[in-house]
Every structure is written in C-alpha cells, then in structure tokens.
Amino acid sequence: MFFDKIFNNKQSHADIYIRASKLIDEAQILSNVINTTTSENEFFASYDRLTNILLKLKSYERKIKFSNKPSDDLRNIRKNKSKAIERFNARKNAVPILLDNPDPHFRDAAVLIIKSNKGSVGLLQRNFKIGFNRAMRILEQLEAFGVVGPENGTFPREVLMDEYTFDTLFKTAHITYTKDNNDLQTSEFNLDQPYSNNYDAMDGHDFEYFCADLLKKNGFSNVEVTQGSGDHGVDIFAEQGDVTYAIQCKRYEGSVPYKAIQEAYSAKGIFNKDVAVVMTNSTFTQQGIEDAKRLSVKLWDRDKLNEFIRNATE
C-alpha cells in the first residue's frame, strides 16, 4: 500500500467527511489492486484513479485531520511510479511456484508462522498436535516456498514473507498431490453426512469447495470456484434468481480483518456482480462490520454458515 490509513476528523462538516471517507475507502481498495493485479489496463487505470483521489483529498487537508497528508502520499506515488511498474511487470511475468504434495496444514502453518514471526518446529507441534518429523517436513516445504529461511542452529528460522504476499503467491501456485498422501483432505464433500464442525479443520482451498457445495444445496445456481490467478480475492461466483454474487471465503482463526471486506467490494465492481459477500467460519472485526455497512457488503459469519448447513441437511 502506498500510504498509511488516514484518520478522519468526525468534527468536520458532515458532507465533507462523508465524501472524504468514501474517497479513502476507494483509495485503499485501489492500492490493493495496484499491488496485486496482473492486468496492464487495470493497473494503469487504478494508478490514475488513485492519483486523482489523492488530488481531491489534498483539497480537504485544512478541513480534515489525516495521519499523514494526502499531498505527501500523492508525492510518494508519483515518485515511486516507476518502481510500481517494475513490480507489476515482475508480477505479470512471474512463473507460478510449483508446490508438490503440500502437507494439509501447509497454508495454516504458513499463516501461523507469519503472524508469530517465528519459524520453529515446536510452534507447529503445539498448535497442530503433530510429531517432530511432520513439523520439520512442513518447515522444509515453507522454506522451499520462500516463507522462512534455512535452519539457523537452535534459533527459530527467519520469517521472510508477510501474510498478504503469501496469500497472493499461494493462490497462483501450481499445486500437485500424489495419490498416496493419506493425510490429504479431499476437495469433495458429501452434504448428506453429519457436519459437526469439521470445517474448522479444513484448509482454505477445501473450505472454498465446501462453501460452494453448501450454496448449491441452498438454491444458488451457476456456482463456480475460481482458479486463484487474477480473481482479485473472489473465491466463488454464484447466482440466486436474477442476482449475481462475488464471494470471498475465509476459513479463519480469530476475527476476519476489514481488508477482506474491501477486497470483496472491489471485486464486485471489477467482475460486474450485483452483491459482494465475505463468507467465513468465524466472525468479523468491528471495523470490518462498519466497512461492510458502508460498502453494502454482505457478511456471512459462523451463524450464517451453520444456517446453510442446517438447510442443506434437512
């Protein structure tokens, strides 16, 4: 992202505050698009739009308090445009990472290590209740993926990647599985069997297919799980009646952050869908709930997920 979150002064005139708040929301979404898209037209259009928004916000500097001035942000994105173009070209031309037979805990282990900023065998053993050898294999897979560095004696491995970068790379990775991996969870689910709460044990990929099957059982049509690359955070497209949906799925531990809501809102516009949804096994942060109300994004939390499950199994 090119600028820090901007603080709004609620004592400012109401209409100015509302206009500025909407511009800030759009600017944050555009910065995410700029940092992730592989479409040349989308990249340059978003960059130009972000520049225009900052110009407009600059005119509010004497009326609204910002954590850092939009004029400074504007100066920075103009100064760094060539670097941003270099990163875009590298991303567009990047060869997807090959991930051969990852452990079922691979994605969750990566997120855990990134959040803990500590790449250790013990951390994985304690959190996933697995043995030393399996935890070591996961760390080796994470090293090959670039999440952590090599062994460092008795010290934890260095964490080399943030969560956003990992999620972007994981979605575009080419993943292959061998047939003899007995630990691997399947991407097909039988909705006639009892659920309990097994969705909490799924990895992100399986959770997407799980949600897609639930939607089909709940009367949605043309349900499609996206392939990751170029999906802008959308995991499922679906329709119900004449209404089209762009749905982001979050199998999450803890509350889903507000960024997921902003990404879903942005993707709804990019793919010209009617409704943006974030669907999770968990809950949402207060900021996420407020953002969803402002952006008209539907939030389907754990209670809604269980409602879908009851409807599917009745």
Side-chain angles (χ1 to χ4, degrees):
M1 187 175 289
F2 292 96
F3 51 90
D4 295 331
K5 181 172 177 58
I6 303 170
F7 295 114
N8 304 302
N9 184 348
K10 294 185 178 180
Q11 295 178 344
S12 300
H13 196 274
D15 60 343
I16 296 176
Y17 169 77
I18 291 171
R19 288 198 299 269
S21 181
K22 289 181 178 179
L23 289 172
I24 290 166
D25 287 337
E26 186 179 356
Q28 291 172 332
I29 292 168
L30 287 168
S31 65
N32 283 335
V33 172
I34 290 167
N35 288 326
T36 59
T37 185
T38 55
S39 165
E40 186 169 331
N41 289 338
E42 185 179 47
F43 174 84
F44 285 104
S46 298
Y47 215 102
D48 290 343
R49 175 58 182 161
L50 179 59
T51 300
N52 290 334
I53 287 175
L54 290 175
L55 279 169
K56 184 63 177 178
L57 288 172
K58 179 183 175 182
S59 68
Y60 296 148
E61 285 184 357
R62 295 191 179 187
K63 302 174 182 178
I64 297 176
K65 181 180 179 181
F66 298 91
S67 63
N68 53 300
K69 294 182 178 180
S71 56
D72 292 337
D73 295 326
L74 180 62
R75 190 180 307 110
N76 286 335
I77 69 164
R78 285 173 168 170
K79 178 182 178 181
N80 294 317
K81 186 172 183 177
S82 60
K83 292 181 180 179
I85 293 173
E86 289 177 8
R87 290 194 297 269
F88 164 74
N89 288 328
R91 186 168 63 247
K92 182 180 67 172
N93 299 321
V95 177
I97 297 175
L98 299 178
L99 189 56
D100 183 29
N101 199 31
D103 187 278
H105 290 311
F106 176 86
R107 187 171 188 173
D108 289 337
V111 173
L112 172 66
I113 284 174
I114 291 169
K115 287 183 175 179
S116 304
N117 196 31
K118 180 181 179 182
S120 72
V121 170
L123 180 67
L124 298 182
Q125 286 183 276
R126 289 190 299 273
N127 281 270
F128 299 113
K129 304 297 188 286
I130 57 178
F132 176 87
N133 290 337
R134 184 175 177 187
M136 179 60 76
R137 286 196 300 272
I138 294 174
L139 273 180
E140 290 170 351
Q141 290 178 340
L142 292 174
E143 178 185 350
F145 201 81
V147 176
V148 298
E151 286 189 88
N152 187 25
T154 59
F155 296 97
R157 295 177 185 236
E158 182 182 3
V159 178
L160 305 175
M161 192 177 292
D162 60 34
E163 187 176 354
Y164 189 81
T165 301
F166 169 77
D167 193 55
T168 301
L169 292 175
F170 187 81
K171 279 182 173 290
T172 58
H174 286 168
I175 303 175
T176 59
Y177 297 110
T178 58
K179 294 181 180 180
D180 60 351
N181 187 347
N182 295 324
D183 291 329
L184 185 63
Q185 298 174 12
T186 177
S187 292
E188 299 295 331
F189 299 93
N190 183 355
L191 293 177
D192 296 324
Q193 298 299 320
Y195 280 95
S196 64
N197 286 329
N198 63 354
Y199 49 72
D200 289 327
M202 297 175 187
D203 65 16
H205 178 73
D206 284 349
F207 185 67
E208 292 167 10
Y209 280 91
F210 173 79
C211 291
D213 285 340
L214 273 182
L215 293 174
K216 292 175 185 177
K217 290 287 186 176
N218 277 267
F220 287 79
S221 60
N222 295 324
V223 179
E224 175 190 355
V225 178
T226 66
Q227 298 304 307
S229 179
D231 63 11
H232 300 282
V234 175
D235 299 308
I236 299 173
F237 293 122
E239 298 178 12
Q240 192 174 51
D242 295 329
V243 180
T244 58
Y245 292 79
I247 303 169
Q248 183 175 101
C249 299
K250 286 291 186 183
R251 210 291 293 157
Y252 221 75
E253 295 179 8
S255 297
V256 177
Y258 73 93
K259 187 177 75 172
I261 286 87
Q262 294 175 330
E263 289 177 346
Y265 172 78
S266 175
K268 183 193 76 169
I270 291 171
F271 293 105
N272 196 28
K273 302 300 180 182
D274 299 318
V275 179
V277 178
V278 181
M279 188 173 186
T280 183
N281 66 314
S282 188
T283 58
F284 296 91
T285 63
Q286 186 58 40
Q287 183 179 3
I289 293 171
E290 292 172 0
D291 282 352
K293 289 180 180 178
R294 186 166 61 252
L295 300 174
S296 298
V297 175
K298 289 186 177 295
L299 301 183
W300 292 348
D301 61 6
R302 191 179 188 87
D303 290 339
K304 184 67 173 181
L305 185 65
N306 287 329
E307 179 185 325
F308 279 134
I309 289 172
R310 288 193 296 272
N311 293 340
T313 54
E314 287 179 351

